[in-house]
Amino acid sequence: MSKKSFRVVILPGDGIGPEVVAEATKVLEVVAAASTDIELKLEAHDFGGCAIDKHGLPLPESTLKACQEADAILMGSIGGPKWGVNSKVRPEQGLLSLRKALGLYANIRPANFASDSLVDNSPLKASIAQGVNIIVVRELIGGVYFGQRKEAGVAPQEDTAWDTMIYNVAEIQRITRVAAQIALAADPPLAIHSIDKANVLATSRLWRKVVTETLQAEYPQLSLDHHLVDSASMFIVANPRKLNGVVLTENLFGDILSDESSVIPGSLGLLPSASLAGAPSVADYRSESFKATPGLYEPIHGSAPDIAGQGVANPIGTILSAAMLLRYSLGLDKPATAIETAVRKVLDNQDKGGEGFRTADLGGTVKTKEMGEKIVEVLKGLL
Ligand code: ATP
Ligand code: MG
């Protein structure tokens, strides 16, 4: 049988980006080497601050073209003090252009404990935080961030500024379908918690109606409830398990709730994210009709200039991003789960049969490379 071939573009970026991406790349190579029916073609491209230094702009034409032709993209992190707010061209502009060019309207951020042995690192500690498994699905290219606005100091009403929040049915339907596919990709399927402010906002009332109708018509097997955003943000601190499942929400609320929920597991270095231009590819990748869902995968942390070059960054957020890439863009659920299991075993305390490995952000002394190598070693036994 001929192997199914996928193109994965790697954007190491700046700061700790290249260090954490190197470890995630090893993980992807091990997955490909162990498979008899898939081939991963990995190619690195310049993006972000390093691309500004080399090409004068953060998203060179050649990088954009490679991303547009790829099945999925794995990114490290971009930016740093060298290309600060006063620079003419900034790395972050490249990321906004890339998201827009690829139509990445769905942002997915799981907030869970890669291992329950990490619960002591959580600001919410064991009693409240243990067993949290929240995946935030945020609409990324609509709503108030993209509506018309007027700045203050501009005629006719100089003392007035406004922003407009707009959503239409199609935008809400497509993000609802992404949330549903993510809920279904888990076994058993996850509950959906839709978040809005329907007691005040017209967009929220449309949101609630369309989410309800779409799920009833297309995914009646999924459980759905609705929360107001103020009460949801309270639950995330008071009792996050109440929101276990997929938290589906629009752009502004999702921005706030995804940051709030990402502190539960205790370190920025642990968490992955995905931005998708379609519902996840849950169909069988071996079928002729299978088409990868293009997506950009990255850890939620930034380029961490304070620790760059020291080899101490936690690579787990990037390694788990590679797992999401396999599951959501390439339809490869088994190796994705194997990566997550390997990460958990390496983090689990020794009394739970794990390795108890901790990088500096988790209070340990394990280096970036050691962490990556240990995960690869455990993963090889699982594939
Ligand atoms: P950005 O603006 O790019 O999001 P930021 O200033 O918000 O960046 P980060 O670059 O993510 O934040 O860094 C915040 C803090 O977390 C820093 O002290 C950094 O060292 C630490 N940190 C971030 N990522 C990691 C990681 N993978 N491993 C260890 N520490 C990390
Ligand atoms: Mg930040």
Side-chain angles (χ1 to χ4, degrees):
M1 196 182 84
S2 73
K3 287 190 174 189
K4 185 109 181 176
S5 178
F6 295 109
R7 272 181 80 171
V8 178
V9 163
I10 310 274
L11 306 174
D14 310 313
I16 59 170
E19 300 169 41
V20 291
V21 157
E23 303 312 308
T25 304
K26 280 184 215 158
V27 165
L28 287 176
E29 282 166 351
V30 166
V31 166
S35 168
T36 52
D37 53 4
I38 60 149
E39 177 188 27
L40 298 181
K41 289 188 178 151
L42 309 178
E43 35 174 299
H45 288 269
D46 296 326
F47 182 59
C50 61
I52 295 178
D53 292 349
K54 256 199 199 165
H55 311 269
L57 75 178
L59 177 58
E61 194 58 41
S62 54
T63 300
L64 176 61
K65 187 165 179 286
C67 289
Q68 282 167 328
E69 289 168 0
D71 292 308
I73 304 154
L74 180 68
M75 193 187 111
S77 51
I78 54 165
K82 187 172 172 194
W83 315 276
V85 280
N86 295 323
S87 311
K88 244 192 175 156
V89 268
R90 287 187 289 118
E92 294 76 12
Q93 293 161 346
L95 187 54
L96 291 182
S97 309
L98 184 62
R99 283 183 185 151
K100 198 152 186 206
L102 299 178
L104 302 173
Y105 65 85
N107 182 242
I108 293 113
R109 269 215 211 173
N112 55 25
F113 288 92
S115 151
D116 278 341
S117 298
L118 294 181
V119 97
D120 280 346
N121 291 79
S122 174
L124 302 185
K125 287 285 156 53
S127 62
I128 311 172
Q130 200 160 23
V132 173
N133 183 15
I134 292 172
I135 303 180
V136 178
V137 174
R138 163 189 173 194
E139 199 292 323
L140 197 59
I141 57 176
V144 74
Y145 290 4
F146 288 84
Q148 279 190 12
R149 68 186 92 250
K150 179 191 167 294
E151 304 289 340
V154 179
Q157 285 170 291
E158 301 244 341
D159 65 346
T160 304
W162 45 258
D163 302 280
T164 48
M165 190 190 270
I166 299 182
Y167 272 106
N168 63 39
V169 170
E171 286 169 329
I172 302 170
Q173 276 173 338
R174 68 180 185 180
I175 192 73
T176 301
R177 291 183 182 121
V178 172
Q181 293 287 12
I182 285 168
L184 285 174
D187 185 20
L190 302 171
I192 296 194
H193 309 286
S194 176
I195 312 295
D196 59 43
K197 188 70 183 169
N199 52 348
V200 180
L201 299 174
T203 41
S204 280
R205 287 189 281 277
L206 181 67
W207 180 275
R208 197 173 275 218
K209 180 171 177 283
V210 174
V211 167
T212 305
E213 288 172 0
T214 307
L215 290 178
Q216 263 168 13
E218 299 174 25
Y219 304 91
Q221 70 273 46
L222 293 176
S223 126
L224 166 69
D225 59 18
H226 303 274
H227 297 274
L228 296 174
V229 63
D230 39 351
S231 115
S233 60
M234 197 183 67
F235 288 141
I236 290 175
V237 178
N239 182 8
R241 271 174 292 180
K242 209 175 160 96
L243 292 179
N244 272 359
V246 175
V247 167
L248 165 62
T249 191
E250 59 87 53
N251 202 346
L252 169 65
F253 300 156
D255 191 5
I256 298 166
L257 294 182
S258 60
D259 265 23
E260 191 194 0
S261 42
S262 67
V263 300
I264 298 171
S267 169
L268 278 180
L270 291 167
L271 295 181
S273 78
S275 300
L276 305 183
S281 305
V282 289
D284 191 331
Y285 65 91
R286 281 163 296 211
S287 79
E288 277 302 308
S289 58
F290 178 86
K291 210 178 157 307
T293 299
L296 172 70
Y297 298 82
E298 56 180 309
I300 70 160
H301 60 74
S303 61
D306 53 335
I307 56 165
Q310 297 172 23
V312 298
N314 187 347
I316 288 179
T318 316
I319 289 172
L320 293 176
S321 298
M324 286 181 91
L325 181 156
L326 294 171
R327 175 175 295 125
Y328 292 151
S329 275
L330 310 188
L332 298 164
D333 195 52
K334 269 198 190 143
T337 304
I339 293 169
E340 289 158 356
T341 305
V343 166
R344 180 171 51 72
K345 286 183 185 249
V346 170
L347 288 171
D348 274 351
N349 286 337
Q350 280 157 358
D351 60 6
K352 283 191 170 172
E355 306 283 342
F357 269 40
R358 298 280 183 279
T359 39
D361 55 314
L362 300 171
T365 55
V366 172
K367 303 273 191 176
T368 311
K369 265 202 171 139
E370 281 174 80
M371 184 58 106
E373 277 159 15
K374 192 52 149 183
I375 291 168
V376 161
E377 184 192 312
V378 174
L379 176 63
K380 280 182 177 163
L382 295 170
L383 289 170

